[in-house]
């Protein structure tokens, strides 16, 4: 088992890892707080939440198994080299646990707060169901040969796929409404911070070990940050440049410009609050 060669790089690795943890973890709270204050989830895409729960649940399985299981760690070193460090840190496991919990809490808010005519699409339900059915099939395939590293890699692939898919409904909803009202930009700014810190953390390990195996040995973590940063930048452009928030958006006149049920539900909620 390999060890750190440089104390400053090891400290930097730990600091950046926990910075990513706090940034990514806190990124869930702006939306939860916004929903609580508005007593409404209108403007928040429900497909995003369901896909996000599938994504983080899969990522938790991958991180926890690779971090805690000596058997899977041995299989990892047999594949990538006996001196390679395990590419999952304690902050990765902590983040996954927290992410599943906060996503579940947000889904509870969907059940108890005003949501207008919004609902989870059949496409989203189909994609999520397909992901879990595929995972279950892979469990039975892995059992006879004890291919545990391959099995958790399947969950890692699921989380990457869900990461790519989950952002699309919210981005499209923002585009369709020409607005980001009801959706918090705070979580995106924190998510972007976490993604950058995550890449820097992985770089610290690679520099210390003189190897870039941890980038492709944990390709899911690498792609997670890459996809997240891309969509974060897209959302930032939508929020600040394409559809900047205006005070008059809170007035009934804005709703009169649209004809979709989503915008009408916003107007109803505003009229009742008055």
């Amino acid at each position: 088992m390999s060890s750190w060669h440089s104390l400053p790089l090891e400290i930097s690795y730990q600091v950046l890892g926990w910075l990513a943890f706090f940034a990514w973890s806190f990124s869930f709270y702006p939306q939860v707080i916004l929903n609580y204050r508005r007593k409404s989830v209108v403007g928040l895409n429900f497909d995003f939440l369901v896909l996000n729960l599938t994504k983080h649940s899969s990522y938790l399985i991958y991180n926890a198994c690779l971090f805690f299981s000596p058997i899977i760690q041995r299989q990892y070193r047999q594949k990538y080299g006996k001196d390679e460090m395990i590419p999952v840190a304690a902050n990765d496991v902590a983040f996954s646990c927290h992410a599943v919990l906060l996503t579940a809490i947000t889904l509870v808010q969907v059940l108890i707060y005003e949501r207008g005519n919004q609902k989870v699409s059949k496409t989203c339900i189909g994609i999520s169901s397909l992901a879990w059915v595929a995972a279950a099939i892979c469990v039975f395939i892995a059992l006879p040969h004890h291919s545990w590293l391959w099995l958790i890699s399947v969950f890692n692939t699921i989380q990457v796929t869900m990461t790519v898919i989950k952002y699309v409904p919210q981005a499209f909803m923002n585009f369709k409404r020409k607005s980001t009202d009801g959706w918090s930009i705070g979580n995106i700014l924190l998510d972007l911070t976490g993604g950058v810190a995550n890449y820097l953390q992985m770089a610290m390990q690679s520099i210390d070990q003189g190897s870039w195996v941890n980038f492709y040995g944990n390709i899911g973590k690498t792609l997670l940050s890459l996809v997240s940063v891309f969509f974060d930048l897209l959302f930032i452009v939508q929020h600040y440049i394409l559809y900047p928030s205006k005070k008059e958006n809170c007035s009934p006149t804005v709703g009169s410009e649209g004809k979709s049920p989503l915008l009408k539900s916003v107007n109803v909620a505003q009229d009742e609050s008055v």
Side-chain angles (χ1 to χ4, degrees), residues 58 62 131 134-135 138 149-159:
S58 302
Y62 172 82
C138 288
L149 180 62
W150 172 80
L151 179 59
I152 66 168
S153 296
V154 170
F155 284 100
N156 207 9
T157 301
I158 291 175
Q159 76 91 5

Side-chain angles (χ1 to χ4, degrees), residues 10-26:
E10 181 180 6
I11 294 174
S12 298
Y13 175 87
Q14 296 295 340
V15 170
L16 288 167
W18 287 106
L19 174 61
F21 164 76
F22 285 111
W24 272 341
S25 295
F26 288 156

